[in-house]
Amino acid sequence: MYDFHLEIKRGMLFRRMYCCKCGTKLKRRSTSRLVNKGEIGYINNILPGIYFGGPTSQIQVRYVYICPNCKQITTYDQQCIIAKKQKQAKTKILEEYK
C-alpha cells in the first residue's frame, strides 16, 4: 500500500520563469521517488516519529523547472534568486550562468 505526498510551491503555479542561459520560458516537471517507512525523508502525517499501521511506502512527488531548449534543471528556490538577478539586470540571459 502506498501513500502519496505532493510538494509544489504556490509560485510555480502562477509565476513565469525564464532560463538564465538562453532566455526560454521554463516548463514544470515532476520528479518522484519511493520512500519506505523508517527511511530518511518519510513524512508521517499523524505524529512525527511514531509509526502506526498504514502505508508502508510513500511516493513523494516534487516539481522542478526544466528549460526545453538547453535542458537545465533548477528548483523553485534557485529560480527565485535567478529571477531577482534577471530583474535587476533587466535581461533574461545572465552572463555569470553561461
Side-chain angles (χ1 to χ4, degrees):
M1 178 181 228
Y2 294 112
D3 188 20
F4 189 76
H5 180 75
L6 177 69
E7 179 183 330
I8 186 167
K9 304 279 183 162
R10 189 178 310 161
M12 288 188 92
L13 298 173
F14 301 109
R15 293 181 69 184
R16 280 177 284 189
M17 298 287 190
Y18 297 92
C19 179
C20 59
K21 290 186 177 182
C22 63
T24 308
K25 184 179 173 186
L26 297 175
K27 303 282 185 186
R28 289 187 308 262
R29 176 172 287 173
S30 65
T31 59
S32 60
R33 69 181 191 134
L34 181 67
V35 181
N36 293 319
K37 189 181 274 191
E39 290 181 1
I40 296 174
Y42 184 83
I43 298 171
N44 189 354
N45 293 331
I46 301 169
L47 293 172
I50 299 173
Y51 301 116
F52 292 109
T56 58
S57 297
Q58 191 175 69
I59 298 174
Q60 293 183 350
V61 180
R62 191 177 104 171
Y63 280 84
V64 293
Y65 285 115
I66 186 165
C67 177
N69 199 16
C70 63
K71 307 298 183 209
Q72 179 183 350
I73 297 173
T74 56
T75 64
Y76 177 73
D77 296 330
Q78 291 171 338
Q79 192 59 39
C80 285
I81 294 168
I82 292 170
K84 192 179 287 187
K85 289 180 182 179
Q86 287 173 331
K87 188 174 181 178
Q88 289 172 350
K90 296 181 182 176
T91 181
K92 292 180 178 75
I93 300 172
L94 299 175
E95 294 297 323
E96 62 189 79
Y97 290 100
K98 279 192 167 186

